[in-house]
């Protein structure tokens, strides 16, 4: 038996609701054309007239080529017209919930959709956000409009390429077939209207769909999905060649990269879901999160925990749910939650907000199926709730410790290279030895301080400039020796060294 396409299943489900006599169907969507297309198919299948009402154009029959239009531009007038008809037509009412605050209108809707012996009309309320009065909520069936299926997106991409070719006198499509799966991946979750617009923009740029189009396409998709700015998008991430040390973390990610990137994972394997990077401040946890996205060759989404919080009850949890939903629609991607303990530290002084947000995150972590690789970073293990760090929440918990002597030499070389200075001109062994206890951030600061000193003396940067800056610095490992030692002791038997 052939596998049923998602679109066919969606039509069948909606047809079942209509045939079963569901008098009130609610569809929340911004993709009104897709909802109209779906109802057109269903109306033809169940042999019922289909009408569309908008406050701007009144009532029109839309299942016929010569659509019959009437006045009925007032909500009460169209409801009275529907109530007087004796057929089982389908009426799509766009943005109609705005009028349901009127008790007369709400009452008439209730009477139209009440159970009857004979099939009655079906009212379908369509809008971006449909809010119903309590009296109507119990009688309504909510129908979730699915995003375009893979087959629809592939057909659309090919149609747009052929259309561009026809308009420019070409006879051959310019779709890179090897890239088609990645294009579909990056368009998934959008409305067909938005997916088509982004595809047209990419093609009209140069007549091609290739790798060069992916970054702009993904950024445009992200802008559509996260209008509130709680997430930030980074396509230009780091490479592990710019990350000193961390051999265990690099090997772990390298083993899982091909499985994460595959649209269909190998038998017996599932895509990796996430890691927790715990460690001393300034030792490269954030850099490693960016490098993980670069290694997997996917965009990085940075979730700002501080931006999630809202003083209104329930809004913080809603912000988190919407952010996680956006991340799933951007899949495959890396979701980086920096200093996660600051957003989910459970306490009794926030009215339970942190506990509800923790529950929302844990539920998502347990149930998600999309290729969203979560990288959470934390500095204070004591502030993390036990539910988050128990075995199984993350694929692995890595501890990012202060760099050893060899790694300090690598870090110094990386930061000298970034400033177009040749590492071989400096005695990195001596500098690494005298910087015992320094973090990566503190080593970078020593180079910057040395550059300022050299600039003031109008001399090129020397080994002594850097060494003097190191000797003048009191590293965090000295100032916070006891807490860092306690963290290192805790992590020794509970985590994997990065």
């Amino acid at each position: 038996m052939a596998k049923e396409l998602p679109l066919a299943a969606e039509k069948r489900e909606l047809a079942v609701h209509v045939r079963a006599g569901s008098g009130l169907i609610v569809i929340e969507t911004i993709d009104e054309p897709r909802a109209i297309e779906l109802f057109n198919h269903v109306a033809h299948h169940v042999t019922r007239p289909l009408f569309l009402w908008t406050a701007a154009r009144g009532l029109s029959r839309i299942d016929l080529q010569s659509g019959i239009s009437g006045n009925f531009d007032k909500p009460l007038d169209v409801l009275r017209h529907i109530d007087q008809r004796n057929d089982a037509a389908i009426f799509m009412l766009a943005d109609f919930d705005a009028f349901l605050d009127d008790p007369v209108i709400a009452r008439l809707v209730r009477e139209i959709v009440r159970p009857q012996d004979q099939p009655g009309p079906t009212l379908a309320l369509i809008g971006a956000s449909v809010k119903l009065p309590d009296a109507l909520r119990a009688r309504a069936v909510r129908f979730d409009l699915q995003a375009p299926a893979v087959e629809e997106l592939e057909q659309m991409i090919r149609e747009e390429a052929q259309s561009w070719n026809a308009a420019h006198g070409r006879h051959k499509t310019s779709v890179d077939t090897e890239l088609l799966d990645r294009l579909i991946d990056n368009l998934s979750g959008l409305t067909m209207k938005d997916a088509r617009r982004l595809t047209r923009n990419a093609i009209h740029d140069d007549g091609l769909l290739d790798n060069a189009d992916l970054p702009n396409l993904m950024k445009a998709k992200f802008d559509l999905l996260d209008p509130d700015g709680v997430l930030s998008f980074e396509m230009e991430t780091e490479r592990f060649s710019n990350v000193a040390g961390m051999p265990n973390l690099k090997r772990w990610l390298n083993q899982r990269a091909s499985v994460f990137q595959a649209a269909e994972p190998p038998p017996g394997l599932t895509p990796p879901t996430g890691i927790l990077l715990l460690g001393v401040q300034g030792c490269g946890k954030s850099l490693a999160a960016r490098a993980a996205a670069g290694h997997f060759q996917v965009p990085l989404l940075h979730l700002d925990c501080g931006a999630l919080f809202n003083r209104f009850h329930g809004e913080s949890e809603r912000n988190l749910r919407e952010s996680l939903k956006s991340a799933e629609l951007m899949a495959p991607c890396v979701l980086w939650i920096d200093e996660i303990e600051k957003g989910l530290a459970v306490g009794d002084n926030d009215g339970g907000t942190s506990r509800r947000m923790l529950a929302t995150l844990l539920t998502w972590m347990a149930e998600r199926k999309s290729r969203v690789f979560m990288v959470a970073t934390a500095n204070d293990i004591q502030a993390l709730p036990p539910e988050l760090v128990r075995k199984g929440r993350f694929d692995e918990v890595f501890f990012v410790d202060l760099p050893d002597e060899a790694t300090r030499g690598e870090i110094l070389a990386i930061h000298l290279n970034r400033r177009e200075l040749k590492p071989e001109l400096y005695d990195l062994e001596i500098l690494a030895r005298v910087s015992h206890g320094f973090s990566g951030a503190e080593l970078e600061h020593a180079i910057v301080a040395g550059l300022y000193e050299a600039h003031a003396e109008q001399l090129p940067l020397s080994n002594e400039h850097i060494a003097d800056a190191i000797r003048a610095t009191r590293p965090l490992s000295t100032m916070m020796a006891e807490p860092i030692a306690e963290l290192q002791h805790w992590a020794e038997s509970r985590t994997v060294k990065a």
Side-chain angles (χ1 to χ4, degrees), residues 27 29 31-40 92 126 145:
I27 299 181
T29 180
D31 196 355
E32 196 172 286
R34 183 172 173 82
I36 292 172
E37 178 191 6
L38 184 60
F39 269 102
N40 252 317
M92 298 180 67
I126 314 294
L145 200 62

Side-chain angles (χ1 to χ4, degrees), residues 3-24:
K3 184 180 179 181
E4 186 174 43
L5 296 180
L7 184 62
E10 192 175 37
K11 293 174 184 174
R12 187 183 63 181
E13 183 184 350
L14 184 58
V16 167
H17 286 306
V18 173
R19 280 207 190 95
S22 300
L24 185 60

Side-chain angles (χ1 to χ4, degrees), residues 12-62:
R12 187 183 63 181
E13 183 184 350
L14 184 58
V16 167
H17 286 306
V18 173
R19 280 207 190 95
S22 300
L24 185 60
I25 299 174
V26 174
I27 299 181
E28 289 190 339
T29 180
I30 59 172
D31 196 355
E32 196 172 286
R34 183 172 173 82
I36 292 172
E37 178 191 6
L38 184 60
F39 269 102
N40 252 317
H41 283 286
V42 170
H44 177 75
H45 190 68
V46 300
T47 323
R48 295 191 185 184
L50 177 65
F51 294 85
L52 173 66
W53 181 89
T54 69
R57 299 185 181 276
L59 187 68
S60 303
R61 183 163 181 180
I62 58 174

Side-chain angles (χ1 to χ4, degrees), residues 29-261:
T29 180
I30 59 172
D31 196 355
E32 196 172 286
R34 183 172 173 82
I36 292 172
E37 178 191 6
L38 184 60
F39 269 102
N40 252 317
H41 283 286
V42 170
H44 177 75
H45 190 68
V46 300
T47 323
R48 295 191 185 184
L50 177 65
F51 294 85
L52 173 66
W53 181 89
T54 69
R57 299 185 181 276
L59 187 68
S60 303
R61 183 163 181 180
I62 58 174
D63 60 329
L64 299 175
Q65 287 285 342
S66 56
I68 303 171
S69 300
N71 295 319
F72 309 119
D73 54 347
K74 299 292 187 290
L76 193 56
D77 292 342
V78 74
L79 289 179
R80 285 173 174 160
H81 169 73
I82 294 170
D83 193 38
Q84 291 168 5
R85 294 175 65 99
N86 56 7
D87 60 358
I90 302 170
F91 296 89
M92 298 180 67
L93 308 177
D95 305 320
F96 199 81
D97 61 305
F99 305 104
L100 293 176
D101 289 337
D102 186 327
V104 175
I105 291 175
R107 177 68 195 187
L108 188 48
V109 170
R110 285 179 60 195
E111 293 184 2
I112 291 172
V113 303
R114 68 180 182 273
Q116 302 177 26
D117 294 334
Q118 298 297 324
T122 297
L123 303 186
L125 304 187
I126 314 294
S129 177
V130 180
K131 296 180 181 178
L132 299 178
D134 293 341
L136 289 175
R137 197 174 296 128
R139 299 193 179 182
V141 172
R142 288 193 175 265
F143 184 82
D144 292 327
L145 200 62
Q146 301 299 311
V150 169
E151 296 80 8
E152 294 177 274
L153 290 173
E154 180 176 348
Q155 181 182 348
M156 180 273 294
I157 292 170
R158 295 192 184 280
E159 286 174 356
E160 290 301 321
Q162 290 168 0
S163 175
W164 192 93
N165 290 330
H168 293 80
R170 294 188 181 182
H171 304 290
K172 184 179 178 182
T173 61
S174 298
V175 179
D176 183 342
T177 53
E178 294 182 2
L179 194 65
L180 191 58
D181 286 344
R182 294 188 68 188
L183 285 168
I184 292 171
D185 255 353
N186 288 298
L187 292 171
S188 63
L190 294 176
T191 66
M192 182 58 81
K193 179 181 178 182
D194 285 335
R196 189 179 294 277
R197 177 168 60 82
L198 295 189
T199 302
R200 283 179 181 171
N201 289 346
I203 294 175
H204 284 225
D205 178 36
D206 55 7
L208 296 171
L209 280 173
D210 54 23
N211 280 302
D213 292 308
L214 286 176
N216 288 337
L217 190 148
M218 284 188 278
K219 180 64 170 68
K221 176 182 177 180
F222 174 78
D223 290 340
L224 288 169
L225 294 177
D226 188 52
D228 295 329
V230 175
L231 288 171
S232 60
F233 175 94
E234 294 182 29
M235 193 64 215
E236 294 296 325
T237 50
E238 281 289 353
R239 295 172 297 175
F240 267 118
S241 59
N242 292 330
V243 180
M246 304 192 195
N248 294 334
L249 174 60
K250 292 175 182 177
R251 183 170 60 253
W252 190 94
L253 290 169
N254 194 48
Q255 289 174 344
R256 288 155 179 80
S258 61
V259 178
F260 181 79
Q261 291 164 341

